[in-house]
Amino acid sequence: MTVYARPVPAASKPIAPVRRSQAERRETTRAALMTAALEQLLFDGLAGFTTTEVCKRAGLSQGALFKHFDTKADLLAAVTEHLFDELRAEFESTFIDLPAARRNPRSGIELLWDQMLDARLAAAYELYTAARTDTDLRAALEPVVAAHVERIHELAAALIPGVDDDRRRSAVDLALLAMQGLVVQQMALPDPAQHERLRELLDGLTVVLLTNENEGTN
């Protein structure tokens, strides 16, 4: 009987670790800090929010945090900006994925309602109210909120074309301000009936504004 020797595998070369650039490492650290900050804001609210806890959640040092954000207010503003970017991207993706017949103003308003009731957005509105007496936070948030509103208008123009610009802007402003006001009030005084009344009224008004005069409201 012939015995065949099992071939000895060639020694494999060690796999060199992938070296990330300084910019990539910086972005990874920044993302980890913002994720941890949003988690803490959601679970503990602004009253319990501390940079110490953020660093603990992210597994990073205070020194690492303040290399990326000069102040606590800057961190909160960056978290808010990141959250707004995520929500707009989610809205656009969901709207575009709708069947063609449903990509209309009414569906847009329904999707906006869904986002307004998102717990992440409630955390952002908590920062809005705190900015009334926190001048540092207000200064950090102002450009973020202004840019967010303008990008919503740009998104509305892209997703709902063919509507007069002034009417579209009026409809978007009406929807945003009314929904935001309701969400803030519901934090202190939950009232499902009030929510439904405003939802029905706002749905009718905004759909009319976002529909050309020669079109229906379907």
Side-chain angles (χ1 to χ4, degrees):
M1 181 177 66
T2 304
V3 178
Y4 295 96
R6 179 176 298 175
V8 178
S12 58
K13 295 182 179 179
I15 299 175
V18 177
R19 296 181 63 85
R20 295 184 301 163
S21 68
Q22 184 176 0
E24 290 173 328
R25 293 195 300 271
R26 180 179 177 83
E27 186 56 34
T28 298
T29 300
R30 183 181 175 87
L33 288 166
M34 288 197 293
T35 298
L38 179 58
E39 288 177 354
Q40 196 197 355
L41 196 59
L42 286 170
F43 287 106
D44 300 329
L46 186 58
F49 186 92
T50 66
T51 56
T52 300
E53 180 60 24
V54 170
C55 292
K56 181 180 177 181
R57 286 175 178 268
L60 295 165
S61 67
Q62 289 268 358
L65 187 150
F66 289 111
K67 282 182 181 178
H68 292 267
F69 307 100
D70 292 337
T71 66
K72 177 179 172 181
D74 289 335
L75 170 61
L76 290 169
V79 169
T80 304
E81 181 178 29
H82 179 68
L83 171 59
F84 285 163
D85 289 345
E86 280 191 344
L87 290 173
R88 287 195 310 273
E90 289 172 11
F91 181 96
E92 182 175 11
S93 175
T94 303
F95 188 88
I96 290 174
D97 286 344
L98 291 173
R102 292 191 56 207
R103 290 197 293 269
N104 54 40
R106 189 178 298 279
S107 293
I109 295 300
E110 286 299 313
L111 291 177
L112 190 57
W113 272 115
D114 290 343
Q115 286 208 333
M116 285 294 175
L117 299 176
D118 190 303
R120 294 171 296 171
L121 200 52
Y125 290 155
E126 186 177 359
L127 300 181
Y128 280 25
T129 57
R132 184 183 72 85
T133 55
D134 187 331
T135 56
D136 290 338
L137 181 58
R138 183 167 66 249
L141 283 176
E142 279 180 354
V144 172
V145 176
H148 175 56
V149 172
E150 190 54 38
R151 285 170 188 152
I152 289 176
H153 282 296
E154 293 171 0
L155 183 59
L159 297 181
I160 309 176
V163 178
D164 178 79
D165 286 344
D166 289 338
R167 291 175 64 188
R168 183 173 53 239
R169 291 187 74 90
S170 295
V172 171
D173 286 340
L174 172 64
L176 287 177
L177 295 174
M179 289 179 182
Q180 287 174 0
L182 177 68
V183 170
V184 171
Q185 177 160 314
Q186 294 281 310
M187 292 178 185
L189 184 64
D191 183 348
Q194 184 184 57
H195 174 205
E196 289 304 317
R197 287 195 302 272
L198 180 61
R199 188 165 188 153
E200 182 178 350
L201 175 62
L202 193 59
D203 178 73
L205 289 174
T206 51
V207 168
V208 169
L209 285 171
L210 287 171
T211 304
N212 284 326
E213 294 178 0
N214 61 341
E215 294 179 349
T217 57
N218 294 329

